[in-house]
Amino acid sequence: MRRDIPPLDEVRRITQKKRDAWWTVVLVDPVATPLVRWTAMRTRITPNQITWGAFLLGLVSAAFFALGDWQWLVVGAVVYHFSFILDCMDGKVARLTGTGSVFGAWLDFVFDRIRVMACAVALMGGQFHRTGDAFYIWAAVAVVALDTLRYINGLEIFKIRHTMRKQIKVRMRAARRAENEAELAFMEDLLRENPEADIEQDMQKTRSEMGVPETPEAPETEGAEGAAPAPKRQIIDLHQEFRGKFPAYLRARSFLLRHRIRTHLVSGIEFQMGVFMIGPLFDVVLPATIVSGALLLVFELAIIYKLLLSTRDFTRTIDSFEERKALAATTAATATTTATTNSTTASAAV
């Protein structure tokens, strides 16, 4: 038995994400986290082995779904949830024991997609055999397509945001070298790291204090006695237009983050649970699939719209750097002309 595993509260701090799906926070973490601690203390099970276990349980649930009758649907739903608990445990064990790997992350992703595909085909195929309704065939296609869309969209949005942030950092480094500017920070990161704060109040206070509505700066803080004050950080808010259009979003986001729940309330996890748990448990497979799919699409479109507004903030930020660059060049040219004129005047006077 390992002696270096910390108490449960510390395990929660290490393994649980600061933001997660509400289904995971409410229905999975209370079970998974104690199991993670027990597994790390008393077994030699690796994260990849847990990933395999989650995958195999997912295939077992698919076999139950394929039988079609309601009692087997219930068993399949319960097994699927145990599969998902294991799926959440592999990453937690990796974080707690420091045994994570790039291959393990790939394996987890691929197995998740295969599990969803197998369960969708089995569930809808079983219901087609049970009812003869061909609409279940289309439902299977829709489930696989929506699950794929969710992850492709999430990956592409991440890449675009990463590219925008990278370009801004490059421009800011150039400006800092030229003008000795302050350190750069992104509003999104500050809000994520401080979910307990009243976000809307903090933003308004910062902007009013600094008098810069577009790119507020963090207040200057005094260092230790005799030391130079800490440099200010220029805060780039790439969601400013979105926040301006939806002020209630800030209050809702603050409330949810205090409870570790992300604002994307219907993501791939909730979609899967609607299709593979709620539908089978209550024998409403088709209605649950339709409602879950519609909600997933609504939230995906909201994310895309938020990205669109973010690109506008990005363009304005880049333009502001160009304006500052042009202003700096004009100032330098004026200073050079003035110095030349003064030197000529002085020579003539001599």
Side-chain angles (χ1 to χ4, degrees):
M1 184 176 69
R2 293 184 58 168
R3 304 288 184 180
D4 58 337
I5 302 300
L8 185 58
D9 287 343
E10 181 67 10
V11 172
R12 289 193 182 98
R13 186 191 67 80
I14 295 172
T15 63
Q16 293 180 354
K17 298 176 182 178
K18 290 184 178 181
R19 298 188 305 168
D20 213 333
W22 66 265
W23 188 283
T24 302
V25 172
V26 176
L27 298 175
V28 176
D29 279 349
V31 177
T33 306
L35 285 176
V36 165
R37 184 173 185 271
W38 184 90
T39 300
M41 286 183 62
R42 299 184 178 276
T43 73
R44 296 181 179 275
I45 297 176
T46 66
N48 285 354
Q49 290 171 340
I50 297 175
T51 302
W52 273 100
F55 175 64
L56 293 176
L57 267 186
L59 296 183
V60 171
S61 68
F64 286 124
F65 287 150
L67 297 177
D69 293 335
W70 177 67
Q71 61 267 29
W72 294 117
L73 294 183
V74 172
V75 177
V78 173
V79 173
Y80 189 88
H81 197 251
F82 279 120
S83 170
F84 183 70
I85 290 175
L86 284 180
D87 187 39
C88 292
M89 285 178 59
D90 55 6
K92 296 180 188 298
V93 171
R95 287 190 288 273
L96 180 62
T97 60
T99 55
S101 65
V102 175
F103 178 77
W106 175 87
L107 192 70
D108 183 52
F109 177 82
V110 172
F111 278 1
D112 283 350
R113 306 285 67 73
I114 296 175
R115 179 181 58 185
V116 170
M117 183 183 301
C119 287
V121 171
L123 177 62
M124 302 307 170
Q127 294 307 294
F128 171 70
H129 184 267
R130 175 186 176 186
T131 65
D133 187 351
F135 199 80
Y136 284 103
I137 304 300
W138 292 108
V141 175
V143 170
V144 175
L146 287 172
D147 181 73
T148 304
L149 171 66
R150 162 71 190 120
Y151 282 92
I152 290 178
N153 188 42
L155 177 61
E156 289 303 313
I157 287 178
F158 172 80
K159 288 168 61 177
I160 291 173
R161 287 177 175 171
H162 176 75
T163 300
M164 290 192 299
R165 291 162 68 104
K166 185 177 180 180
Q167 290 187 29
I168 289 175
K169 287 180 179 180
V170 169
R171 299 295 182 95
M172 177 54 71
R173 290 192 188 101
R176 190 162 60 236
R177 285 194 297 268
E179 305 173 11
N180 194 27
E181 286 283 350
E183 183 183 354
L184 174 67
F186 286 92
M187 178 68 75
E188 183 180 5
D189 293 337
L190 299 181
L191 300 182
R192 181 183 295 112
E193 294 168 1
N194 187 23
E196 292 80 10
D198 187 327
I199 297 174
E200 185 174 20
Q201 180 177 346
D202 288 351
M203 289 177 62
Q204 292 175 349
K205 180 180 178 181
T206 302
R207 292 173 179 174
S208 63
E209 286 179 352
M210 302 308 300
V212 184
E214 293 296 327
T215 53
E217 295 180 354
E220 183 174 339
T221 56
E222 295 294 335
E225 184 177 353
K232 297 178 181 178
R233 294 191 299 175
Q234 182 168 359
I235 301 173
I236 304 297
D237 187 3
L238 292 181
H239 298 298
Q240 181 174 316
E241 185 172 347
F242 181 84
R243 301 181 205 281
K245 288 180 177 292
F246 305 99
Y249 166 81
L250 297 175
R251 291 185 289 271
R253 185 181 191 274
S254 180
F255 172 80
L256 291 172
L257 288 186
R258 289 190 187 103
H259 298 83
R260 294 200 305 115
I261 297 174
R262 61 191 180 197
T263 51
H264 193 166
L265 295 178
V266 181
S267 63
I269 292 173
E270 289 80 11
F271 171 66
Q272 291 179 37
M273 296 308 160
V275 174
F276 301 128
M277 278 206 65
I278 296 176
L281 281 176
F282 297 98
D283 200 15
V284 288
V285 172
L286 202 55
T289 300
I290 293 173
V291 171
S292 300
L295 290 174
L296 178 68
L297 282 176
V298 167
F299 276 88
E300 290 303 303
L301 290 174
I303 289 178
I304 294 172
Y305 179 64
K306 185 178 180 181
L307 177 66
L308 172 63
L309 298 184
S310 181
T311 59
R312 295 177 182 175
D313 289 321
F314 167 76
T315 300
R316 284 191 289 268
T317 301
I318 293 297
D319 289 344
S320 70
F321 287 143
E322 294 299 327
E323 292 172 1
R324 288 166 56 184
K325 182 179 179 180
L327 179 61
T330 301
T331 303
T334 302
T336 302
T337 302
T338 302
T340 303
T341 303
N342 291 340
S343 176
T344 302
T345 303
S347 298
V350 172

